Amino acid sequence: MQPVLAILRAVARVMRRDVGTFFGLKVNNFFLFVMLLIWGNLVSGLPPRSAYPFLLLVSFLLLFPLSSDPLAKIPPLRRALWPLDLQQRAGLRLTSAALSPVVWITAALLLRTSASLALAFVGLAIAMQVLLAVLRTTSAGATIPIRIAFPGKFGPIAAATLRQLFSVLDTYIAIIIAISGIIYRFAYKFPDPAAYTILSLLIALALSTYAQNLFGLERESALTRYNLLPTDWYPILLTKDAAYLGLLIALTSPLDPFSGITFGLSALGIGHFSEARRRSAQYLWRFLTGKLVYGVLQVAVGAGLAVGTKNHLWIALISIASYIAGTMVFARPEN
């Protein structure tokens, strides 16, 4: 029994640290926008219903990492070396389930709502993990990689940047909004053209926290390799910027790419100021976290410039100028 208890204590520490990474959501730009939307409705005396779809979207994506198996946090080779018999492993498997956040949320739903809602929640969490398992493996059991490759000297850096973008939840919010916008534009009988700009701004907003963390997902070994490259840091930075803007243009092109790129350039400029101060480590398959002051600036300045360019094209020059200024003050991240 002692070995099982020792393992459970270790897994509990891992889960506590893992769940702690979700508290950074409060300084994610998209979540900041949702909170500002709720606050604005409450100040004006309106119910915060307009924020519910965005909260539901964030909660839905959070379920993917939250519903993972606690024992999956331990490397398989290490689990295989544990000196446990079959009965102990079965007991460990059953008791470790109690450490999953899904169990806690299910218990809260049972106490506060109904058994049917709690059961539906468990079913959704299981379906998500089944979907992830299918996406990870082929019929032969091999891992499915994200195959992205670009030619040229800096092609691998651009490919690595896109792989990082597809490994954080912010990108999937942007993709869901983009798909919703495409459906609205081409399937709805009388779409409002003004909605295209709003949807493009939401896509750019969802991706904007990454503009503060261009090197946040890099390991120390990657930063060391960048330092060893026979080039200055600015081509590396511009390559990462180009990959980020390329994804933004691809997602907003069916809607309003001009507004999206205006928001994106200003977000990158402000993000470069942020990264010039301190590199912030990030986690895969989580929402990215930024700094509150820079996040507010990205949301306010980016949205203001993007909306302003609809009537005055010269305002786009301010977005370009902010990007150039941020690039000039950028300092290479230390490993």
Side-chain angles (χ1 to χ4, degrees):
M1 191 64 181
Q2 289 299 325
V4 174
L5 291 176
I7 292 170
L8 286 174
R9 284 194 293 268
V11 174
R13 285 195 297 271
V14 172
M15 289 299 298
R16 187 167 59 249
R17 289 196 298 265
D18 192 48
V19 172
T21 63
F22 293 105
F23 292 111
L25 187 65
K26 62 185 178 183
V27 283
N28 177 276
N29 287 358
F30 192 83
F31 190 70
L32 175 63
F33 159 74
V34 175
M35 293 297 100
L36 289 174
L37 192 61
I38 293 174
W39 178 77
N41 285 346
L42 291 176
V43 168
S44 59
L46 299 173
R49 292 173 184 165
S50 58
Y52 289 171
F54 302 113
L55 282 174
L56 182 62
L57 179 56
V58 171
S59 302
F60 173 75
L61 289 174
L62 278 176
L63 265 182
F64 281 96
L66 280 174
S67 60
S68 61
D69 180 12
L71 289 182
K73 308 296 181 184
I74 309 298
L77 289 177
R78 185 169 297 178
R79 293 203 307 267
L81 295 174
W82 287 341
L84 303 177
D85 57 31
L86 185 60
Q87 183 179 1
Q88 288 174 320
R89 288 184 181 275
L92 179 64
R93 170 59 63 185
L94 290 174
T95 52
S96 65
L99 300 175
S100 172
V102 170
V103 175
W104 314 337
I105 298 173
T106 302
L109 290 174
L110 279 172
L111 293 174
R112 301 297 298 272
T113 58
S114 62
S116 59
L117 183 59
L119 185 62
F121 174 76
V122 172
L124 178 61
I126 293 174
M128 286 180 170
Q129 290 308 304
V130 171
L131 175 61
L132 286 178
V134 172
L135 292 176
R136 287 194 196 105
T137 59
T138 62
S139 58
T143 300
I144 299 178
I146 300 177
R147 299 187 182 278
I148 303 174
F150 296 102
K153 182 178 179 180
F154 297 100
I157 297 176
T161 301
L162 284 176
R163 282 194 293 269
Q164 289 174 359
L165 278 164
F166 282 103
S167 298
V168 293
L169 297 181
D170 305 62
T171 302
Y172 294 95
I173 280 192
I175 290 173
I176 291 173
I177 295 173
I179 293 173
S180 302
I182 292 171
I183 293 173
Y184 172 74
R185 177 167 188 172
F186 296 105
Y188 193 67
K189 192 172 183 179
F190 300 107
D192 183 1
Y196 307 156
T197 300
I198 300 301
L199 290 167
S200 292
L201 292 183
L202 288 174
I203 293 169
L205 173 66
L207 293 174
S208 61
T209 310
Y210 184 79
Q212 294 188 46
N213 297 284
L214 293 173
F215 294 90
L217 289 167
E218 301 283 8
R219 297 182 179 180
E220 292 185 1
S221 58
L223 296 178
T224 300
R225 286 195 296 271
Y226 289 152
N227 283 317
L228 294 175
L229 289 175
T231 182
D232 192 33
W233 267 86
Y234 284 105
I236 298 173
L237 176 66
L238 294 176
T239 301
K240 282 183 164 288
D241 289 349
Y244 168 83
L245 292 173
L247 177 61
L248 179 58
I249 292 172
L251 292 177
T252 57
S253 57
L255 301 167
D256 185 356
F258 191 74
S259 296
I261 197 67
T262 302
F263 193 121
L265 284 171
S266 62
L268 279 172
I270 295 170
H272 290 171
F273 275 100
S274 173
E275 281 206 303
R277 304 304 187 267
R278 181 176 63 88
R279 173 175 171 259
S280 177
Q282 304 295 319
Y283 300 91
L284 295 177
W285 304 112
R286 299 292 186 273
F287 284 101
L288 294 168
T289 63
K291 303 175 184 68
L292 182 60
V293 173
Y294 293 104
V296 172
L297 285 173
Q298 283 179 316
V299 174
V301 175
L305 291 177
V307 171
T309 54
K310 299 298 293 183
N311 298 318
H312 307 284
L313 289 178
W314 63 266
I315 293 179
L317 297 175
I318 301 176
S319 180
I320 298 172
S322 68
Y323 172 73
I324 295 173
T327 303
M328 291 177 64
V329 303
F330 175 80
R332 73 180 188 182
E334 299 295 334
N335 54 333

